[in-house]
């Protein structure tokens, strides 16, 4: 287990007999300026998503509904598998982290808050390239 990879932020949760409410105030709760929001839904049972890393992008991921797993690997080669199922918990994913997503439950909704606008040039979509970039980073440190 690597606590470096497993950074989970507890978001506010206000509950009463009517149910629960969670809110996110930009930099008050998430440690970057949110430039983009997107969400994954309607993922068929057994389908995998992800399989890439980002040079620069930082993200916060929330299981708004249902559950799914993230399998993470950072540039140091540390690995973590985490299941998300709480709408008031945000998993932080740093840049240079390889991620795969699996085991989406029926009706799962994965909300992602992103530090940058969409830019395909920021993606590393080959695992081999990710390991090469990670080795370069190691060499520089
Ligand atoms: C990530 C995980 C958690 C856009 O046009 N704009 C966007 O903002 C995004 C996120 C994607 N796209 C396009 C790019 C592809 O043609 O939507 C298509 C599907 O994207 P992708 O295959 O990258 O989807 P996932 O679910 O594998 O990955 C996504 C994010 O791309 C990625 O940054 O970390 O969710």
């Amino acid at each position: 287990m690597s606590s470096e990879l497993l950074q989970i932020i507890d978001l506010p949760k206000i509950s009463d007999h009517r149910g629960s409410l969670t809110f996110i105030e930009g930099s008050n709760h998430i440690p970057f300026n949110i430039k983009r929001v997107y969400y994954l839904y309607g993922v068929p049972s057994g389908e995998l998503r992800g399989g890439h890393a980002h040079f620069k992008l930082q993200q916060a991921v929330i299981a708004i509904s249902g559950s799914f797993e993230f399998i993470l690997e950072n540039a140091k080669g540390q690995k973590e598998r985490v299941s998300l199922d709480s709408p008031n918990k945000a998993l932080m994913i740093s840049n240079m982290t390889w991620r795969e997503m699996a085991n989406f439950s029926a009706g799962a909704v994965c909300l992602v808050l992103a530090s940058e606008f969409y830019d395909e040039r920021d993606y590393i979509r080959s695992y081999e390239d990710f390991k090469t970039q990670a080795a370069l980073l190691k060499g520089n440190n």
Side-chain angles (χ1 to χ4, degrees), residues 35-80:
K35 279 198 181 169
R36 177 167 52 113
V37 175
Y38 65 91
Y39 34 98
L40 310 172
Y41 53 97
V43 180
S45 174
E47 199 58 67
L48 303 172
R49 298 194 67 110
H52 54 255
H54 288 278
F55 286 109
K56 188 173 170 199
L57 189 70
Q58 298 176 66
Q59 301 187 95
V61 178
I62 302 159
I64 290 294
S65 179
S67 63
F68 44 82
E69 289 182 342
F70 266 72
I71 300 109
L72 303 174
E73 178 177 344
N74 65 15
K76 294 178 183 170
Q78 297 169 323
K79 295 179 185 174
E80 191 69 69

Short mmCIF file of all heavy atoms in Angstrom, two decimals, residues 35-80:
data_model
loop_
_atom_site.label_atom_id
_atom_site.label_comp_id
_atom_site.label_asym_id
_atom_site.label_seq_id
_atom_site.Cartn_x
_atom_site.Cartn_y
_atom_site.Cartn_z
N LYS A 35 -10.88 23.42 -13.90
CA LYS A 35 -11.11 24.02 -15.22
C LYS A 35 -12.13 23.23 -16.03
O LYS A 35 -12.65 23.71 -17.03
CB LYS A 35 -9.81 24.04 -16.03
CG LYS A 35 -8.88 25.17 -15.69
CD LYS A 35 -7.89 25.33 -16.83
CE LYS A 35 -6.90 26.42 -16.57
NZ LYS A 35 -5.81 26.38 -17.54
N ARG A 36 -12.36 21.96 -15.61
CA ARG A 36 -13.22 21.09 -16.43
C ARG A 36 -13.88 20.06 -15.53
O ARG A 36 -13.27 19.60 -14.56
CB ARG A 36 -12.35 20.39 -17.49
CG ARG A 36 -13.05 19.41 -18.38
CD ARG A 36 -12.16 19.04 -19.56
NE ARG A 36 -10.84 18.62 -19.12
CZ ARG A 36 -10.36 17.37 -19.24
NH1 ARG A 36 -11.07 16.44 -19.82
NH2 ARG A 36 -9.14 17.08 -18.82
N VAL A 37 -15.12 19.74 -15.87
CA VAL A 37 -15.84 18.68 -15.16
C VAL A 37 -16.36 17.72 -16.22
O VAL A 37 -16.87 18.16 -17.25
CB VAL A 37 -17.05 19.27 -14.38
CG1 VAL A 37 -17.87 18.16 -13.74
CG2 VAL A 37 -16.57 20.27 -13.33
N TYR A 38 -16.17 16.43 -16.01
CA TYR A 38 -16.80 15.46 -16.91
C TYR A 38 -17.23 14.25 -16.10
O TYR A 38 -16.84 14.12 -14.92
CB TYR A 38 -15.89 15.08 -18.08
CG TYR A 38 -14.63 14.35 -17.71
CD1 TYR A 38 -14.59 12.96 -17.66
CD2 TYR A 38 -13.46 15.04 -17.43
CE1 TYR A 38 -13.43 12.28 -17.34
CE2 TYR A 38 -12.29 14.37 -17.11
CZ TYR A 38 -12.28 13.00 -17.06
OH TYR A 38 -11.13 12.34 -16.74
N TYR A 39 -18.06 13.42 -16.68
CA TYR A 39 -18.54 12.26 -15.93
C TYR A 39 -18.72 11.07 -16.85
O TYR A 39 -19.04 11.20 -18.04
CB TYR A 39 -19.83 12.56 -15.15
CG TYR A 39 -20.79 13.52 -15.80
CD1 TYR A 39 -21.89 13.07 -16.53
CD2 TYR A 39 -20.59 14.90 -15.69
CE1 TYR A 39 -22.76 13.96 -17.12
CE2 TYR A 39 -21.46 15.79 -16.29
CZ TYR A 39 -22.54 15.33 -17.00
OH TYR A 39 -23.39 16.21 -17.60
N LEU A 40 -18.46 9.91 -16.27
CA LEU A 40 -18.58 8.63 -16.99
C LEU A 40 -19.82 7.93 -16.47
O LEU A 40 -20.03 7.87 -15.26
CB LEU A 40 -17.34 7.76 -16.72
CG LEU A 40 -15.97 8.43 -16.91
CD1 LEU A 40 -14.86 7.51 -16.43
CD2 LEU A 40 -15.76 8.80 -18.36
N TYR A 41 -20.63 7.41 -17.35
CA TYR A 41 -21.86 6.75 -16.93
C TYR A 41 -22.28 5.77 -18.03
O TYR A 41 -21.73 5.80 -19.14
CB TYR A 41 -22.98 7.78 -16.66
CG TYR A 41 -23.22 8.75 -17.80
CD1 TYR A 41 -24.25 8.54 -18.71
CD2 TYR A 41 -22.40 9.87 -17.97
CE1 TYR A 41 -24.47 9.42 -19.76
CE2 TYR A 41 -22.61 10.75 -19.02
CZ TYR A 41 -23.64 10.52 -19.91
OH TYR A 41 -23.84 11.38 -20.96
N GLY A 42 -23.20 4.90 -17.67
CA GLY A 42 -23.66 3.90 -18.66
C GLY A 42 -22.55 2.93 -19.04
O GLY A 42 -22.53 2.42 -20.17
N VAL A 43 -21.61 2.70 -18.12
CA VAL A 43 -20.50 1.77 -18.44
C VAL A 43 -21.02 0.33 -18.33
O VAL A 43 -21.50 -0.06 -17.25
CB VAL A 43 -19.30 2.00 -17.48
CG1 VAL A 43 -18.16 1.04 -17.82
CG2 VAL A 43 -18.83 3.45 -17.53
N PRO A 44 -20.95 -0.44 -19.40
CA PRO A 44 -21.47 -1.81 -19.34
C PRO A 44 -20.69 -2.68 -18.35
O PRO A 44 -19.49 -2.47 -18.14
CB PRO A 44 -21.27 -2.33 -20.78
CG PRO A 44 -21.08 -1.11 -21.62
CD PRO A 44 -20.44 -0.09 -20.73
N SER A 45 -21.38 -3.64 -17.77
CA SER A 45 -20.76 -4.55 -16.81
C SER A 45 -19.53 -5.22 -17.44
O SER A 45 -19.58 -5.66 -18.59
CB SER A 45 -21.79 -5.61 -16.41
OG SER A 45 -21.18 -6.56 -15.59
N GLY A 46 -18.42 -5.24 -16.70
CA GLY A 46 -17.20 -5.90 -17.17
C GLY A 46 -16.32 -5.04 -18.06
O GLY A 46 -15.21 -5.42 -18.41
N GLU A 47 -16.81 -3.84 -18.42
CA GLU A 47 -16.02 -2.95 -19.31
C GLU A 47 -14.89 -2.28 -18.52
O GLU A 47 -15.04 -1.96 -17.35
CB GLU A 47 -16.96 -1.89 -19.91
CG GLU A 47 -16.42 -1.22 -21.15
CD GLU A 47 -16.13 -2.20 -22.28
OE1 GLU A 47 -17.06 -2.81 -22.83
OE2 GLU A 47 -14.92 -2.36 -22.59
N LEU A 48 -13.76 -2.07 -19.21
CA LEU A 48 -12.62 -1.37 -18.60
C LEU A 48 -12.50 0.00 -19.25
O LEU A 48 -12.75 0.15 -20.45
CB LEU A 48 -11.32 -2.14 -18.84
CG LEU A 48 -11.27 -3.58 -18.34
CD1 LEU A 48 -9.99 -4.28 -18.81
CD2 LEU A 48 -11.34 -3.61 -16.81
N ARG A 49 -12.09 1.00 -18.49
CA ARG A 49 -11.79 2.32 -19.07
C ARG A 49 -10.40 2.73 -18.58
O ARG A 49 -9.78 2.05 -17.78
CB ARG A 49 -12.84 3.36 -18.66
CG ARG A 49 -14.25 3.01 -19.16
CD ARG A 49 -15.18 4.20 -19.05
NE ARG A 49 -14.81 5.28 -19.94
CZ ARG A 49 -15.50 5.63 -21.02
NH1 ARG A 49 -16.60 4.98 -21.35
NH2 ARG A 49 -15.10 6.65 -21.77
N GLY A 50 -9.95 3.89 -19.04
CA GLY A 50 -8.62 4.36 -18.64
C GLY A 50 -7.56 3.68 -19.48
O GLY A 50 -7.76 3.44 -20.67
N GLY A 51 -6.44 3.37 -18.82
CA GLY A 51 -5.31 2.82 -19.57
C GLY A 51 -4.50 3.96 -20.15
O GLY A 51 -4.22 4.00 -21.34
N HIS A 52 -4.16 4.90 -19.29
CA HIS A 52 -3.34 6.04 -19.71
C HIS A 52 -2.87 6.82 -18.48
O HIS A 52 -3.34 6.59 -17.37
CB HIS A 52 -4.12 6.96 -20.66
CG HIS A 52 -5.42 7.43 -20.12
ND1 HIS A 52 -6.62 6.95 -20.55
CD2 HIS A 52 -5.69 8.33 -19.16
CE1 HIS A 52 -7.59 7.52 -19.88
NE2 HIS A 52 -7.06 8.37 -19.04
N ALA A 53 -1.95 7.75 -18.73
CA ALA A 53 -1.49 8.69 -17.69
C ALA A 53 -1.52 10.08 -18.34
O ALA A 53 -1.78 10.22 -19.54
CB ALA A 53 -0.08 8.34 -17.25
N HIS A 54 -1.27 11.10 -17.52
CA HIS A 54 -1.23 12.46 -18.04
C HIS A 54 0.09 13.12 -17.63
O HIS A 54 0.57 12.94 -16.51
CB HIS A 54 -2.38 13.29 -17.45
CG HIS A 54 -3.71 12.90 -18.00
ND1 HIS A 54 -4.18 13.36 -19.20
CD2 HIS A 54 -4.67 12.08 -17.52
CE1 HIS A 54 -5.39 12.86 -19.43
NE2 HIS A 54 -5.70 12.07 -18.43
N PHE A 55 0.65 13.88 -18.54
CA PHE A 55 1.88 14.61 -18.23
C PHE A 55 1.62 15.65 -17.13
O PHE A 55 2.40 15.77 -16.19
CB PHE A 55 2.40 15.35 -19.47
CG PHE A 55 3.05 14.44 -20.48
CD1 PHE A 55 2.42 14.17 -21.68
CD2 PHE A 55 4.28 13.86 -20.22
CE1 PHE A 55 3.02 13.34 -22.62
CE2 PHE A 55 4.89 13.02 -21.15
CZ PHE A 55 4.26 12.77 -22.35
N LYS A 56 0.51 16.37 -17.26
CA LYS A 56 0.30 17.55 -16.41
C LYS A 56 -0.98 17.50 -15.58
O LYS A 56 -1.04 18.04 -14.48
CB LYS A 56 0.25 18.77 -17.36
CG LYS A 56 0.23 20.10 -16.69
CD LYS A 56 0.36 21.23 -17.72
CE LYS A 56 0.09 22.57 -17.07
NZ LYS A 56 -0.23 23.60 -18.07
N LEU A 57 -2.00 16.87 -16.13
CA LEU A 57 -3.35 16.94 -15.55
C LEU A 57 -3.43 16.35 -14.14
O LEU A 57 -2.91 15.27 -13.87
CB LEU A 57 -4.31 16.16 -16.45
CG LEU A 57 -5.79 16.28 -16.12
CD1 LEU A 57 -6.31 17.67 -16.46
CD2 LEU A 57 -6.59 15.22 -16.88
N GLN A 58 -4.11 17.09 -13.26
CA GLN A 58 -4.46 16.56 -11.94
C GLN A 58 -5.97 16.41 -11.91
O GLN A 58 -6.69 17.25 -12.47
CB GLN A 58 -4.04 17.52 -10.84
CG GLN A 58 -2.56 17.78 -10.77
CD GLN A 58 -2.31 18.81 -9.69
OE1 GLN A 58 -2.53 18.56 -8.52
NE2 GLN A 58 -1.88 19.98 -10.11
N GLN A 59 -6.44 15.39 -11.20
CA GLN A 59 -7.88 15.15 -11.19
C GLN A 59 -8.36 14.72 -9.81
O GLN A 59 -7.59 14.19 -9.01
CB GLN A 59 -8.23 14.06 -12.21
CG GLN A 59 -7.80 14.43 -13.62
CD GLN A 59 -8.27 13.45 -14.65
OE1 GLN A 59 -9.29 13.64 -15.27
NE2 GLN A 59 -7.54 12.37 -14.80
N ALA A 60 -9.64 14.96 -9.58
CA ALA A 60 -10.31 14.44 -8.39
C ALA A 60 -11.51 13.64 -8.89
O ALA A 60 -12.26 14.12 -9.74
CB ALA A 60 -10.77 15.58 -7.50
N VAL A 61 -11.65 12.43 -8.38
CA VAL A 61 -12.66 11.50 -8.88
C VAL A 61 -13.64 11.17 -7.76
O VAL A 61 -13.23 10.85 -6.64
CB VAL A 61 -11.97 10.20 -9.35
CG1 VAL A 61 -12.99 9.19 -9.82
CG2 VAL A 61 -10.96 10.50 -10.44
N ILE A 62 -14.93 11.22 -8.09
CA ILE A 62 -15.97 10.97 -7.07
C ILE A 62 -16.99 9.97 -7.63
O ILE A 62 -17.46 10.13 -8.76
CB ILE A 62 -16.68 12.29 -6.70
CG1 ILE A 62 -15.66 13.30 -6.18
CG2 ILE A 62 -17.77 12.04 -5.66
CD1 ILE A 62 -16.12 14.74 -6.25
N ALA A 63 -17.32 8.98 -6.81
CA ALA A 63 -18.38 8.03 -7.19
C ALA A 63 -19.71 8.68 -6.79
O ALA A 63 -20.19 8.50 -5.68
CB ALA A 63 -18.18 6.69 -6.49
N ILE A 64 -20.28 9.42 -7.73
CA ILE A 64 -21.54 10.11 -7.45
C ILE A 64 -22.66 9.10 -7.20
O ILE A 64 -23.55 9.31 -6.39
CB ILE A 64 -21.90 11.03 -8.66
CG1 ILE A 64 -20.93 12.20 -8.73
CG2 ILE A 64 -23.34 11.51 -8.61
CD1 ILE A 64 -21.03 13.16 -7.57
N SER A 65 -22.58 7.98 -7.90
CA SER A 65 -23.58 6.92 -7.74
C SER A 65 -22.90 5.58 -8.00
O SER A 65 -22.01 5.50 -8.86
CB SER A 65 -24.71 7.15 -8.75
OG SER A 65 -25.66 6.13 -8.63
N GLY A 66 -23.28 4.55 -7.25
CA GLY A 66 -22.72 3.22 -7.49
C GLY A 66 -21.26 3.12 -7.09
O GLY A 66 -20.77 3.90 -6.26
N SER A 67 -20.56 2.20 -7.70
CA SER A 67 -19.16 1.96 -7.32
C SER A 67 -18.34 1.53 -8.53
O SER A 67 -18.87 1.08 -9.54
CB SER A 67 -19.10 0.86 -6.24
OG SER A 67 -19.60 -0.35 -6.76
N PHE A 68 -17.02 1.68 -8.38
CA PHE A 68 -16.06 1.25 -9.41
C PHE A 68 -14.69 1.24 -8.76
O PHE A 68 -14.52 1.75 -7.64
CB PHE A 68 -16.10 2.17 -10.65
CG PHE A 68 -16.15 3.63 -10.31
CD1 PHE A 68 -15.01 4.33 -9.99
CD2 PHE A 68 -17.37 4.29 -10.27
CE1 PHE A 68 -15.07 5.67 -9.64
CE2 PHE A 68 -17.44 5.64 -9.93
CZ PHE A 68 -16.29 6.33 -9.62
N GLU A 69 -13.72 0.68 -9.47
CA GLU A 69 -12.35 0.61 -8.92
C GLU A 69 -11.39 1.39 -9.80
O GLU A 69 -11.54 1.41 -11.03
CB GLU A 69 -11.89 -0.85 -8.86
CG GLU A 69 -12.61 -1.63 -7.78
CD GLU A 69 -12.09 -3.06 -7.69
OE1 GLU A 69 -11.44 -3.55 -8.65
OE2 GLU A 69 -12.34 -3.69 -6.67
N PHE A 70 -10.40 1.99 -9.16
CA PHE A 70 -9.27 2.59 -9.87
C PHE A 70 -8.03 1.79 -9.52
O PHE A 70 -7.78 1.48 -8.35
CB PHE A 70 -9.06 4.05 -9.43
CG PHE A 70 -9.75 5.04 -10.33
CD1 PHE A 70 -11.12 5.16 -10.30
CD2 PHE A 70 -9.03 5.84 -11.20
CE1 PHE A 70 -11.78 6.06 -11.13
CE2 PHE A 70 -9.67 6.74 -12.04
CZ PHE A 70 -11.05 6.85 -12.01
N ILE A 71 -7.26 1.44 -10.53
CA ILE A 71 -5.98 0.76 -10.33
C ILE A 71 -4.93 1.78 -10.75
O ILE A 71 -4.92 2.23 -11.91
CB ILE A 71 -5.89 -0.53 -11.16
CG1 ILE A 71 -7.03 -1.48 -10.74
CG2 ILE A 71 -4.56 -1.23 -10.97
CD1 ILE A 71 -8.11 -1.67 -11.71
N LEU A 72 -4.09 2.18 -9.79
CA LEU A 72 -3.16 3.29 -10.02
C LEU A 72 -1.71 2.82 -9.94
O LEU A 72 -1.37 1.93 -9.17
CB LEU A 72 -3.37 4.37 -8.94
CG LEU A 72 -4.78 4.96 -8.81
CD1 LEU A 72 -4.84 5.90 -7.61
CD2 LEU A 72 -5.18 5.68 -10.08
N GLU A 73 -0.87 3.47 -10.73
CA GLU A 73 0.58 3.25 -10.61
C GLU A 73 1.27 4.59 -10.85
O GLU A 73 0.99 5.28 -11.84
CB GLU A 73 1.07 2.24 -11.65
CG GLU A 73 2.58 2.04 -11.59
CD GLU A 73 3.10 0.99 -12.57
OE1 GLU A 73 2.30 0.18 -13.10
OE2 GLU A 73 4.33 1.00 -12.82
N ASN A 74 2.13 4.99 -9.93
CA ASN A 74 2.81 6.27 -10.11
C ASN A 74 4.18 6.08 -10.77
O ASN A 74 4.59 4.95 -11.07
CB ASN A 74 2.90 7.07 -8.79
CG ASN A 74 3.76 6.39 -7.74
OD1 ASN A 74 4.51 5.47 -8.05
ND2 ASN A 74 3.64 6.85 -6.50
N ALA A 75 4.87 7.19 -10.98
CA ALA A 75 6.14 7.15 -11.71
C ALA A 75 7.22 6.39 -10.94
O ALA A 75 8.20 5.93 -11.53
CB ALA A 75 6.61 8.57 -12.02
N LYS A 76 7.00 6.23 -9.61
CA LYS A 76 7.97 5.47 -8.80
C LYS A 76 7.71 3.97 -8.87
O LYS A 76 8.40 3.19 -8.23
CB LYS A 76 7.88 5.91 -7.34
CG LYS A 76 8.31 7.33 -7.09
CD LYS A 76 8.12 7.67 -5.61
CE LYS A 76 8.47 9.11 -5.34
NZ LYS A 76 8.08 9.51 -3.98
N GLY A 77 6.63 3.58 -9.57
CA GLY A 77 6.29 2.16 -9.67
C GLY A 77 5.42 1.68 -8.52
O GLY A 77 5.12 0.48 -8.43
N GLN A 78 4.99 2.60 -7.64
CA GLN A 78 4.09 2.21 -6.55
C GLN A 78 2.70 1.97 -7.12
O GLN A 78 2.26 2.72 -8.00
CB GLN A 78 4.04 3.30 -5.48
CG GLN A 78 5.38 3.53 -4.81
CD GLN A 78 5.39 4.78 -3.96
OE1 GLN A 78 4.79 5.79 -4.32
NE2 GLN A 78 6.09 4.73 -2.84
N LYS A 79 2.01 0.95 -6.60
CA LYS A 79 0.71 0.58 -7.16
C LYS A 79 -0.35 0.57 -6.06
O LYS A 79 -0.04 0.28 -4.90
CB LYS A 79 0.79 -0.81 -7.80
CG LYS A 79 1.72 -0.83 -8.99
CD LYS A 79 1.81 -2.20 -9.61
CE LYS A 79 2.86 -2.17 -10.72
NZ LYS A 79 3.15 -3.44 -11.31
N GLU A 80 -1.56 0.85 -6.45
CA GLU A 80 -2.67 0.87 -5.50
C GLU A 80 -3.96 0.53 -6.23
O GLU A 80 -4.14 0.93 -7.39
CB GLU A 80 -2.77 2.28 -4.90
CG GLU A 80 -3.68 2.42 -3.72
CD GLU A 80 -3.16 1.73 -2.48
OE1 GLU A 80 -2.15 2.20 -1.92
OE2 GLU A 80 -3.75 0.72 -2.09
#
